[in-house]
Amino acid sequence: MPRSGTPRPDPGADPAYAALKARIIARTGHHYYIDKDDLLIERLRRRFRASGSTDCAAYAALLSDSAQGEAEWARLEAEITVGETFFFRYAEQFQALRETILPALIEARASERSLRIWSAGCSTGAEPYSLAILVRELLGEALPDWRIAILGTDISTEALATARAAEYGRWALRTMPPEDRLRYFTRLPPAPGIRREGGYALRPEFRTLVRFERGNLLTLTEPGPPQGEVFDLILCRNVLIYFDARTVSAVVRGLSGRLRDDGWLLLGHAEPSPAFASFLAPVSLPGTVVYRRLVEALPPPSAAPVPIFVEAPAVPHGRAHASPEDAAALVLADALPHGQDRAPASRAKPTSEPAGEAPEEADPRAETASSGDIDTIRALADAGETGAAWRALRAALDQDPTDPALRFYEGLLARTLGRDAEAERALRAALYLDRAFVMAHYHLGLLLLGLGRPDEAARALDNAIALSQALGPDTELPEGDGASAGEVAAGAAAARAGLVRGRGADRRSS
């Protein structure tokens, strides 16, 4: 039997919705909602009910009200920001922090005994408190001799209130072993809300290492020199998914300006972006990529194009004279996990180019049948739902196993999941389908660098440089997150130069 009463407002059918949506995106920078009207509408409905607004015009008037507007903006920003987080989220990154980054910083700061860390977009505080636990454990009895400052900032006042209280339900501690819960927390009795099954309060020795402030990362995009304190380590892992590519680049540039020269930057668990190459140097660690501030001038990319090589797929014994179509099918079959259907490669065929000739301009790969799938896969991966992204990818590949873009994202996700062999096969399959796929060359080079195969890495990076230089420097590259050909060429050249420097250091030490 249907409920009686006033029907709930439908912002999507309201003629004032488009203007309200544009205003929200302009104020918050949340370009994430440009193509997600259903999600934004559902969250606006919650604020309509809570504030008593009848339609978009009434709600827009509330936001403009001199007495109540700013408070309502804060509540709306909290509503439209995904605040779900938990302790030690992204295990690979916390392993890198525990085993590499924090020990290196502690050694580098041993003379001054000071460590400054910023958790940007900290939500309800699980990330900065996780860092506090790590720092305390690594320093041990030496902690009283150090000045530790961990700052957590977020745009949501409600999230910050939860962070300052440092009380959490079981869900926020779901990846933590029971013995660690008892070491770091005290038990709380059941209470309404997130503590309905009982809760946990963080122990004071960890809480005192962290302070919280309200902050909007869009202030980092304002012109002028960097303002504010500088940090040894910055984490910004939960916010960038909301911004468009240009805003992401501007925010990350601003974050780099707040790093000390030898500082470290951790971003979300998505692929590294070459758009950062002019001011950050990527560092490949097991299961993740982190960044260091780039303090040396980048060498200019070589002006001479290099031959474009794509290794032919291995042909099983007895098939030495397989046709190009059969060879493509074989490499794609090898890229698929065992047990999956192996569809024949029919969408793209390898082309031949004389070595040394400038490659043709990359196909922009306008809308394809899989573009909606790719948007879904990217959104899931950017939100940290790597498993769901992988399942969506497998379903899309079942429908179109010869789409080079899908193979490219297969490679990125496999690398994120620590499946390096699968990542390499997938990236090589993407390149066999599209030899001019600049981003696949670039990421294959980064992967091979991390695997300790410098000769193959150099070849892939040289390919990325040559292909990028054949395009206009401002050409936006497919699957490049807004990065231009010039930025990718600079990023590949920086990685190439680091490879050369590393070889020189190895020779001197031998």
Side-chain angles (χ1 to χ4, degrees):
M1 180 176 178
R3 290 183 181 178
S4 59
T6 305
R8 66 178 184 173
D10 183 2
D14 190 322
Y17 168 71
L20 177 61
K21 172 184 172 180
R23 184 179 174 190
I24 291 169
I25 291 174
R27 161 97 179 209
T28 64
H30 283 16
H31 292 263
Y32 174 80
Y33 288 103
I34 282 181
D35 59 353
K36 294 177 175 60
D37 287 313
D38 290 346
L39 184 58
L40 180 59
I41 287 167
E42 181 57 35
R43 294 180 177 187
L44 281 173
R45 282 196 183 111
R46 296 176 191 167
R47 291 311 314 151
F48 280 20
R49 290 194 295 270
S51 64
S53 300
T54 56
D55 55 23
C56 290
Y59 191 67
L62 174 62
L63 292 175
S64 300
D65 185 88
S66 59
Q68 304 178 67
E70 284 304 310
E72 181 56 32
W73 269 116
R75 288 188 281 268
L76 175 62
E77 288 163 349
E79 185 68 61
I80 66 174
T81 302
V82 177
E84 200 279 335
T85 187
F86 52 91
F87 279 76
F88 298 101
R89 187 179 188 183
Y90 303 143
E92 297 89 349
Q93 290 191 336
F94 270 96
Q95 180 181 358
L97 285 163
R98 183 190 301 272
E99 297 180 0
T100 302
I101 297 171
L102 286 172
L105 282 173
I106 290 170
E107 181 179 0
R109 303 291 181 265
S111 60
E112 59 192 81
R113 294 182 179 272
S114 174
L115 201 57
R116 305 184 70 83
I117 301 173
W118 179 16
S119 170
C122 68
S123 187
T124 54
E127 180 176 273
Y129 285 140
S130 297
L131 291 166
I133 291 170
L134 279 187
V135 169
R136 186 175 180 86
E137 289 192 336
L138 288 170
L139 286 175
E141 294 181 358
L143 180 67
D145 299 326
W146 283 68
R147 289 179 289 112
I148 305 298
I150 302 175
L151 171 66
T153 64
D154 201 89
I155 198 171
S156 168
T157 54
E158 293 183 8
L160 291 174
T162 300
R164 292 187 179 104
E167 296 180 357
Y168 299 92
R170 291 184 179 180
W171 186 242
L173 281 62
R174 59 186 179 272
T175 63
M176 191 178 295
E179 60 272 20
D180 286 346
R181 295 183 190 181
L182 297 178
R183 289 171 58 201
Y184 307 141
F185 297 85
T186 57
R187 292 293 304 270
L188 295 172
I194 61 172
R195 284 174 45 194
R196 60 184 178 276
E197 297 178 351
Y200 296 84
L202 187 67
R203 294 184 181 275
E205 57 264 34
F206 304 111
R207 291 180 59 181
T208 55
L209 298 178
V210 184
R211 79 178 195 275
F212 295 95
E213 296 178 3
R214 187 172 187 272
N216 188 340
L217 288 178
L218 292 183
T219 60
L220 294 170
T221 67
E222 296 172 356
Q227 302 291 325
E229 58 190 309
V230 294
F231 296 90
D232 304 293
L233 169 65
I234 299 176
L235 289 83
C236 184
R237 308 189 304 156
N238 307 308
V239 181
L240 298 181
I241 61 169
Y242 297 108
F243 302 144
D244 63 9
R246 292 185 182 278
T247 305
V248 167
S249 184
V251 168
V252 174
R253 182 182 289 275
L255 291 170
S256 74
R258 301 288 293 277
L259 279 176
R260 291 182 62 167
D261 285 346
D262 57 348
W264 298 76
L265 174 64
L266 271 73
L267 301 178
H269 216 53
E271 70 277 5
S273 172
F276 311 150
S278 62
F279 51 89
L280 289 171
V283 178
S284 184
L285 297 175
T288 191
V289 173
V290 299
Y291 293 93
R292 308 295 302 272
R293 184 172 178 185
L294 195 63
V295 293
E296 298 178 1
L298 291 179
S302 169
V306 298
I308 305 302
F309 297 106
V310 177
E311 294 184 11
V315 179
H317 182 68
R319 304 260 333 245
H321 301 289
S323 68
E325 290 82 357
D326 288 340
L330 286 170
V331 74
L332 292 173
D334 189 47
L336 285 168
H338 293 296
Q340 294 285 339
D341 292 336
R342 287 161 169 78
S346 59
R347 183 178 157 192
K349 299 178 182 179
T351 60
S352 59
E353 295 175 3
E357 288 189 6
E360 296 179 2
E361 183 169 333
D363 179 2
R365 288 196 298 282
E367 290 295 311
T368 69
S370 64
S371 61
D373 295 324
I374 289 173
D375 289 342
T376 299
I377 293 162
R378 283 184 54 89
L380 290 168
D382 290 343
E385 301 294 338
T386 314
W390 182 258
R391 290 189 292 274
L393 174 74
R394 302 307 325 163
L397 281 170
D398 285 345
Q399 298 300 314
D400 193 352
T402 59
D403 186 325
L406 288 175
R407 291 292 171 193
F408 172 70
Y409 285 107
E410 180 186 22
L412 297 186
L413 281 172
R415 188 182 184 194
T416 296
L417 293 167
R419 303 173 183 176
D420 290 339
E422 287 183 58
E424 181 180 352
R425 288 197 299 270
L427 290 172
R428 290 193 186 279
L431 289 169
Y432 201 72
L433 291 164
D434 182 354
R435 297 180 67 186
F437 198 157
V438 177
M439 298 309 301
H441 284 291
Y442 177 82
H443 282 281
L444 178 60
L446 294 183
L447 172 63
L448 294 171
L449 273 176
L451 294 176
R453 291 155 61 185
D455 292 336
E456 295 172 85
R459 178 185 295 178
L461 293 169
D462 285 343
N463 290 341
I465 293 169
L467 287 164
S468 298
Q469 288 175 337
L471 306 172
D474 296 326
T475 303
E476 188 169 311
L477 294 176
E479 313 310 332
D481 287 327
S484 68
E487 290 171 331
V488 173
R496 188 75 164 80
L499 179 60
V500 171
R501 287 195 296 269
R503 284 174 167 172
D506 289 342
R507 283 195 296 269
R508 287 191 299 272
S509 62
S510 60

